[in-house]
């Protein structure tokens, strides 16, 4: 009976809505999702940290006050102000690195947005299926309630047997249980969607699948299109570029550091002013950092290559599954199945068949519809995954 009830809903006519309700939900999610807001603030913080790492070091001020013994030796003071800075090339290279790393951070937001939108779209697809199922279950419940009342009267008149009446009642109880299960799952999925929407209420009552954007039919072109827009690959590509620039930063940091300053001395009534200058050669502090940066850049480059291969495999699998499901869906004659369900309903209303025969016949017809329902929903899920970067 459960298979019958789920399958029945797909006999309902499908239509194209004037406005895509899923797109409207995705706009709300993009504006309200707390994780996206959190990542946005985190990116701002990390960009500020990157910028601060290219600042000059703090100036150093030193004051010395000395006095002699015996006191006739007098007092002596010394004031020194020193500013240290890296070789100018280091600042230039770090600035370029910060710009590239800033793009990497922006890709984190893009990637999270694509993932969250895809999840929200797939939840909407699931809700559409549950809404359609609920409408059909309610329709069947109403029909069986009507026939149950008729059979109760027939039983009182002696024109029906108690087994048939009980069968209708049991079927009605099963439908009501299915309605409760449907409502529970609907609430669960809706709460997940509300959570993605930052906890704000979501109104989503669609019961038809919106028209999907056009999907490229050539798998190679689809893979290229996916590579062009997929935030994961863009992030990894930017990380490779950032790694290359980091090597230059570490090389520049191996150049001598310099410091300049001012010094003032007073002793025995004499005052002397002068300039302080010097260099610091990082023989030890920068040891191994260039080698480490090169290894990290190689790691990122290999990770990018691996992700490109993984993406190609993923897109190919999704594309083949989509094509397979499209052929399966074309093999279903929905008009024939719809007409058969309608004819069975009329035959039952006219008393041309018993409720027992009706349930048996509908079960045979709608077993096929259940398979269609599952295939269509899976097809929708796959299509949204293939267009995730355009949601």
């Amino acid at each position: 009976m459960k298979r019958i009830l789920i399958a029945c809903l797909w006999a309902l006519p499908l239509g194209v809505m004037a406005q895509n309700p899923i797109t409207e939900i995705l706009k709300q999610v993009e504006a309200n999702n707390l994780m996206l807001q959190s990542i946005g603030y985190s990116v701002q913080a990390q960009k500020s940290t990157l910028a601060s790492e290219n600042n000059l070091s703090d100036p150093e001020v030193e004051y010395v006050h000395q006095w002699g013994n015996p006191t006739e030796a007098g007092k002596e003071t010394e004031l020194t102000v020193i500013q240290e800075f890296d070789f100018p090339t280091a600042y230039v290279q770090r600035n370029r690195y910060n710009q590239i790393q800033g793009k990497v951070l922006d890709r984190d937001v893009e990637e999270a947005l694509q993932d969250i939108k895809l999840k929200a779209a797939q939840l909407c697809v699931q809700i559409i299926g549950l809404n359609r199922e609920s409408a059909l279950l309610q329709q069947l419940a109403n029909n069986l309630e009507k026939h149950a009342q008729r059979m109760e009267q027939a039983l009182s008149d002696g024109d029906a047997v108690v087994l048939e009446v009980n069968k209708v009642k049991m079927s009605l109880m099963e439908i009501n249980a299915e309605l409760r299960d449907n409502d529970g799952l609907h609430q669960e999925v809706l709460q997940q969607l509300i959570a993605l929407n930052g906890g704000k209420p979501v109104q989503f009552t669609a019961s038809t699948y919106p028209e999907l954007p056009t999907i490229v039919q050539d798998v190679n072109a689809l893979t290229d299109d996916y590579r062009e827009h997929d935030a994961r690959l863009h992030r990894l590509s930017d990380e490779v570029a950032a790694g290359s620039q980091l090597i230059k930063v570490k090389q520049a940091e191996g150049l001598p550091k310099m410091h300049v300053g001012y010094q003032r001395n007073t002793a025995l009534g004499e005052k002397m002013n002068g300039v302080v200058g010097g260099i610091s050669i990082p023989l030890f502090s920068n040891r191994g950092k260039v080698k480490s940066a090169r290894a990290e850049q190689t790691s990122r480059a290999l990770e990018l290559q691996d992700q490109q291969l993984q993406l190609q495999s993923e897109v190919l699998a999704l594309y083949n599954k989509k094509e397979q499901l499209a052929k399966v869906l074309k093999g279903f004659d929905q008009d024939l199945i719809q007409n058969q369900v309608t004819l069975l309903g009329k035959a039952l209303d006219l008393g041309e068949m018993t409720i027992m025969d009706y349930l048996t016949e509908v079960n045979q017809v709608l077993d096929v519809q259940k398979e269609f329902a599952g295939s269509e929903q899976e097809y929708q899920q796959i299509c949204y995954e293939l267009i995730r970067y355009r949601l």
Side-chain angles (χ1 to χ4, degrees):
M1 185 64 183
K2 182 175 182 179
R3 291 180 300 168
I4 296 176
L5 300 178
I6 294 177
C8 277
L9 70 98
W10 301 104
L12 297 176
L14 298 177
V16 177
M17 301 183 67
Q19 190 175 23
N20 190 330
I22 294 182
T23 300
E24 296 302 313
I25 294 296
L26 297 185
K27 290 179 181 178
Q28 296 180 40
V29 169
E30 182 175 359
N32 300 325
N33 185 266
L34 297 180
M35 180 57 68
L36 286 176
Q37 295 177 27
S38 173
I39 294 174
Y41 283 113
S42 176
V43 166
Q44 291 180 22
Q46 292 180 69
K47 284 184 176 181
S48 297
T49 301
L50 283 172
S52 67
E53 290 176 353
N54 205 28
N55 294 339
L56 291 172
S57 60
D58 296 327
E60 182 180 344
V61 179
E62 183 179 289
Y63 175 76
V64 178
H65 183 96
Q66 296 176 318
W67 57 92
N69 188 13
T71 57
E72 290 77 8
K75 299 178 181 180
E76 180 178 340
T77 64
E78 180 180 308
L79 174 66
T80 305
V81 180
I82 294 178
Q83 175 66 58
E84 185 180 54
F85 53 90
D86 293 333
F87 200 84
T89 304
Y91 293 102
V92 174
Q93 298 297 351
R94 273 199 295 263
N95 184 60
R96 292 174 180 172
Y97 171 77
N98 290 346
Q99 292 177 0
I100 300 174
Q101 191 64 25
K103 293 180 180 180
V104 173
L105 294 172
D106 289 336
R107 297 299 186 187
D108 288 339
V109 178
E110 269 186 67
E111 185 176 356
L113 179 60
Q114 288 184 356
D115 291 342
I116 289 171
K117 277 189 169 184
L118 174 60
K119 184 176 180 180
Q122 292 182 332
L123 288 174
C124 288
V125 168
Q126 192 173 355
I127 290 175
I128 290 174
L130 291 170
N131 287 341
R132 290 166 62 82
E133 180 182 353
S134 178
L136 197 284
L137 289 172
Q138 191 60 58
Q139 178 183 349
L140 290 178
N142 294 338
N143 289 341
L144 285 179
E145 181 68 34
K146 177 179 64 176
H147 286 291
Q149 294 174 0
R150 290 179 182 175
M151 295 188 71
E152 285 281 4
Q153 183 62 44
L155 182 62
S156 300
D157 297 338
D159 296 331
V161 295
V162 68
L163 287 177
E164 291 184 341
V165 176
N166 289 344
K167 179 62 176 178
V168 174
K169 289 182 177 179
M170 291 176 64
S171 298
L172 184 58
M173 286 188 291
E174 187 175 355
I175 290 176
N176 288 330
E178 290 293 322
L179 277 169
R180 289 191 295 271
D181 290 343
N182 177 281
D183 183 66
L185 183 55
H186 185 281
Q187 289 299 319
E188 179 182 336
V189 176
L190 183 61
Q191 286 302 316
Q192 294 180 42
L193 190 58
I194 290 174
L196 288 180
N197 197 40
K200 297 182 178 181
V202 173
Q203 297 294 329
F204 189 76
T205 59
S207 57
T208 58
Y209 293 116
E211 184 176 357
L212 289 164
T214 302
I215 299 177
V216 180
Q217 293 303 308
D218 179 73
V219 66
N220 293 323
L222 181 61
T223 301
D224 292 339
D225 198 29
Y226 216 93
R227 284 176 175 171
E228 182 180 352
H229 296 91
D230 186 70
R232 291 175 298 177
L233 288 185
H234 282 298
R235 176 177 57 79
L236 288 172
S237 179
D238 289 338
E239 286 182 353
V240 171
S244 297
Q245 183 59 34
L246 184 60
I247 295 174
K248 297 179 182 179
V249 170
K250 296 306 177 183
Q251 289 173 337
E253 289 177 348
L255 297 173
K257 299 179 184 295
M258 295 168 284
H259 67 268
V260 296
Y262 163 78
Q263 188 174 59
R264 176 185 175 90
N265 290 324
T266 61
L268 299 175
E270 297 183 4
K271 298 179 182 180
M272 300 186 67
N273 297 287
V275 176
V276 178
I279 64 171
S280 172
I281 302 175
L283 293 177
F284 308 108
S285 62
N286 204 50
R287 179 177 294 177
K289 292 186 177 180
V290 174
K291 182 179 180 181
S292 175
R294 285 199 177 103
E296 183 67 22
Q297 197 272 343
T298 302
S299 173
R300 293 300 184 190
L302 292 173
E303 184 179 358
L304 175 61
Q305 293 179 29
D306 178 70
Q307 285 298 315
Q308 288 174 336
L309 293 174
Q310 293 291 339
L311 178 65
Q312 182 176 357
S313 176
E314 177 185 341
V315 173
L316 180 60
L318 289 172
Y319 178 83
N320 289 338
K321 186 63 175 179
K322 179 186 76 72
E323 291 297 296
Q324 177 185 358
L325 288 170
K327 293 179 181 178
V328 170
L329 295 175
K330 288 181 181 179
F332 287 90
D333 189 338
Q334 287 299 291
D335 292 335
L336 174 63
I337 297 174
Q338 174 64 54
N339 291 336
Q340 182 68 0
V341 172
T342 302
L343 290 174
L344 289 173
K346 289 181 178 180
L348 180 63
D349 289 337
L350 296 174
E352 296 177 356
M353 65 188 312
T354 67
I355 187 65
M356 305 291 285
D357 292 337
Y358 171 79
L359 294 175
T360 300
E361 293 294 332
V362 168
N363 184 57
Q364 294 176 355
V365 174
L366 297 181
D367 272 347
V368 180
Q369 282 292 70
K370 180 180 181 293
E371 183 179 349
F372 173 78
S375 298
E376 186 175 37
Q377 184 162 334
E378 186 178 1
Y379 177 82
Q380 291 284 330
Q381 300 280 13
I382 289 175
C383 286
Y384 275 106
E385 193 161 355
L386 285 172
I387 60 170
R388 57 184 296 167
Y389 54 82
R390 284 192 280 161
L391 294 176

